[in-house]
Amino acid sequence: MSVIRLENAPSVIGYAAVVGRREHEGPLSDDFDLHDEKEKFGMDTWEKAESEMQRLALNLALAKAKLTGKELGAIFAGDLMNQCIGSSYAAECSHRPFFGLYGACSTFAEGSVLGSLLVDRGVFSKCAVLASSHFCTAERQFRYPLEYGGQRTPTSQRTATAAGAFILSAQGAGPYVREVLPGTIVDMGITDINNMGAAMAPAAYDTLTKYFEETGKKPEDFDLILTGDLGKEGHGIICDFMKNAGYDMSGVYNDCGLMLYSAATQDMHAGGSGCGCSASVMAGHIMKRFEKGTVRDVLYIATGALMSPASLQQGRSIPGIAHLVRISAERGGE
Amino acid sequence: MKIDKETYKKYAKSRAPSSPLLKDMLFAFLVGGAICAFAEGIYNFYLYIKIEEDTVRTLVPVTIVFLASLTTGLGVFDNLAKFAGAGTLVPITGFSNAVISPALDDKSEGLVMGVGAKMFTIAGPVIVYGVISSVIYGVLYWLCGVIL
């Protein structure tokens, strides 16, 4: 698969991020639109809370874009729960064509790739991209009960309680989705669910090197290269591997999982993870930076660890994937 | 990627920081020891208020299980266990927490398929293999009696 250039680069005309308590206590707290201290968003179960979080993100993004839900051609949304119920319930009352996606933590980039392609080719004039994760639903699904007394390893990551939304439109003042590179599955044999950074890093490396080789660009051509949720481990691996491949990423590279929480004051081990992690950092922090003009050209590579509890129990390794989205303040040029 | 799976796995493992074993063991020793000393105190207290020793032997684990369940329900247990590790896991407190924590989580799926079915997801294997090993031990014990 090669880099797809979007000639009619869709504009991100609305964006919003809704987060939980820990994320709000983190260094990016000012960039999020809404948070709930109790993380239940007025609901009685964690699953409903996650859907509500996603619904709020969509409505906030629509409001910022001065649109109503009826004007959306489609909604692309995903989360980590079984059968993607978080997104289905969130989109229920919008009555718009709905595509439920599963790309684990890469979902927001997956949705952005699909949404921007379809807007670029004129299929839809506007569409919404949504992704969410909730610490409490993900723990129940993938790990242990919430009150279970266990210890985490230093390489483990915390699933972010967060949701992000983009509204993409054929018309708009930017920023624009200029290029996309859908990822392929890369499995390097990692079986440790507590080291997802190492499981996903090869996929990010694969996508990044493909992008640089094909476009002839270099890391320093961008203001920021941002991976989704590789955490401390994955971040270190990417730096190592890219350096060996001849790309110096220092100075321009960061990871949403490392940005969401404070490593010094919040006990989050290797950083944040989950669909909501990069979705909220992109739709909160990064979009605000585009607004302020402190970044103009960003490569966003969201990574996903595509395992299930059953595959892990059967001893199978964790397949990784990484989708790339290039967002720029300018529609054309290099 | 120009690296084979085995080399990558070794590389990932070698660069991953390991758990702080010394600190973990120290906390496990201190907290686990404190729990056992506390249980011993309760044991003596029950004897002091003139409860029969046989009853006390049942009553002490019941009390500790109750306290572990209560602190699990109050959301305190996991915060302590994060530091204590094996210190809270190995005594009967760990077993109590392993039953109560899924029960708390799964009450949203109802009393039968939620609480009833899922409360043993963690403790279930312990019960199954605990019972099996006790049977094996019993048979061996009986055989030793017959042979000797």
Side-chain angles (χ1 to χ4, degrees):
Chain A
M1 178 59 86
S2 53
V3 180
I4 307 169
R5 217 183 155 95
L6 307 178
E7 300 301 337
N8 312 306
S11 171
V12 183
I13 57 165
Y15 45 83
V18 179
V19 298
R21 179 169 67 91
R22 307 287 176 96
E23 293 68 24
H24 185 251
E25 286 168 354
L28 306 181
S29 65
D30 293 341
D31 295 335
F32 302 126
D33 299 271
L34 208 64
H35 81 282
D36 180 26
E37 282 293 313
K38 290 185 180 157
E39 306 194 329
K40 274 219 163 160
F41 295 89
M43 298 290 135
D44 58 351
T45 68
W46 299 118
E47 286 73 15
K48 285 185 195 167
E50 183 170 343
S51 294
E52 180 62 8
M53 198 164 63
Q54 218 184 82
R55 196 187 65 83
L56 286 168
L58 173 63
N59 286 353
L60 283 165
L62 281 169
K64 282 195 207 170
K66 298 191 174 61
L67 290 178
T68 60
K70 282 179 193 155
E71 291 165 86
L72 292 175
I75 296 173
F76 297 86
D79 56 83
L80 295 176
M81 285 190 272
N82 278 343
Q83 287 77 40
C84 242
I85 53 161
S87 309
S88 317
Y89 284 112
E92 200 178 21
C93 47
S94 67
H95 303 293
R96 300 315 299 154
F98 171 75
F99 297 92
L101 307 174
Y102 187 82
C105 314
S106 73
T107 306
F108 198 62
E110 184 183 356
S112 299
V113 167
L114 292 170
S116 53
L117 274 172
L118 289 163
V119 171
D120 176 66
R121 304 295 143 105
V123 180
F124 302 121
S125 70
K126 291 176 185 69
C127 72
V129 179
L130 290 161
S132 69
S133 57
H134 197 300
F135 173 76
C136 300
T137 59
E139 282 299 292
R140 289 188 63 190
Q141 173 131 1
F142 291 101
R143 297 184 190 95
Y144 290 108
L146 298 172
E147 297 300 331
Y148 180 70
Q151 276 178 321
R152 285 168 175 265
T153 59
T155 54
S156 70
Q157 290 171 254
R158 181 187 170 92
T159 308
T161 301
F166 269 178
I167 309 290
L168 301 171
S169 167
Q171 261 95 44
Y176 304 95
V177 180
R178 296 263 302 272
E179 286 168 324
V180 294
L181 175 56
T184 50
I185 289 182
V186 180
D187 186 344
M188 289 302 283
I190 299 290
T191 50
D192 182 5
I193 192 190
N194 289 314
N195 195 355
M196 290 195 298
M200 299 187 291
Y205 171 81
D206 184 66
T207 302
L208 267 171
T209 47
K210 266 183 205 161
Y211 178 82
F212 288 135
E213 273 163 24
E214 239 180 77
T215 58
K217 287 183 176 294
K218 294 184 182 69
E220 57 266 31
D221 295 336
F222 297 91
D223 298 323
L224 186 63
I225 298 172
L226 197 60
T227 47
D229 58 346
L230 291 178
K232 249 182 239 166
E233 277 310 292
H235 181 277
I237 294 172
I238 282 292
C239 288
D240 267 14
F241 277 71
M242 290 303 283
K243 203 173 171 190
N244 286 343
Y247 298 102
D248 180 17
M249 303 261 284
S250 57
V252 289
Y253 173 48
N254 211 337
D255 180 74
C256 299
L258 292 176
M259 293 161 74
L260 190 58
Y261 303 112
S262 155
T265 58
Q266 293 178 294
D267 181 27
M268 298 302 172
H269 300 267
S273 72
C275 312
C277 177
S278 74
S280 62
V281 172
M282 284 304 291
H285 180 65
I286 300 300
M287 285 299 127
K288 293 246 162 84
R289 287 186 62 183
F290 268 109
E291 238 174 56
K292 288 177 200 153
T294 56
V295 289
R296 299 190 63 76
D297 207 354
V298 173
L299 274 191
Y300 164 51
I301 309 100
T303 46
L306 303 170
M307 75 291 172
S308 84
S311 74
L312 285 171
Q313 280 160 9
Q314 289 167 7
R316 301 185 67 179
S317 54
I318 302 171
I321 194 157
H323 300 291
L324 179 145
V325 179
R326 178 184 171 196
I327 302 178
S328 298
E330 285 92 23
R331 193 168 223 161
E334 268 314 293
Chain B
M1 202 133 167
K2 295 174 194 79
I3 178 171
D4 64 276
K5 282 190 184 185
E6 284 313 309
T7 320
Y8 181 71
K9 268 160 58 178
K10 271 185 209 147
Y11 159 79
K13 206 172 176 179
S14 69
R15 60 163 291 126
S18 51
S19 298
L21 276 182
L22 207 66
K23 186 181 134 220
D24 285 355
M25 284 193 288
L26 181 73
F27 275 112
F29 176 76
L30 290 176
V31 179
I35 291 172
C36 296
F38 176 71
E40 199 61 31
I42 292 175
Y43 189 95
N44 289 328
F45 171 74
Y46 284 151
L47 285 181
Y48 176 73
I49 57 170
K50 304 274 189 272
I51 300 176
E52 270 189 48
E53 193 156 5
D54 266 359
T55 317
V56 169
R57 279 189 193 151
T58 315
L59 215 52
V60 171
V62 168
T63 311
I64 299 297
V65 163
F66 168 76
L67 289 175
S69 305
L70 185 71
T71 47
T72 301
L74 293 172
V76 183
F77 190 94
D78 59 324
N79 295 335
L80 176 67
K82 208 162 92 178
F83 296 101
T88 45
L89 181 81
V90 174
I92 205 163
T93 44
F95 191 72
S96 169
N97 169 258
V99 175
I100 298 302
S101 56
L104 278 171
D105 266 14
D106 298 319
K107 64 178 188 290
S108 53
E109 279 90 80
L111 282 177
V112 179
M113 295 315 287
V115 177
K118 290 182 185 162
M119 101 194 275
F120 295 106
T121 44
I122 299 171
V126 184
I127 298 172
V128 169
Y129 295 108
V131 170
I132 292 176
S133 25
S134 71
V135 169
I136 295 172
Y137 176 80
V139 171
L140 289 177
Y141 187 75
W142 175 77
L143 277 177
C144 288
V146 171
I147 295 164
L148 303 174

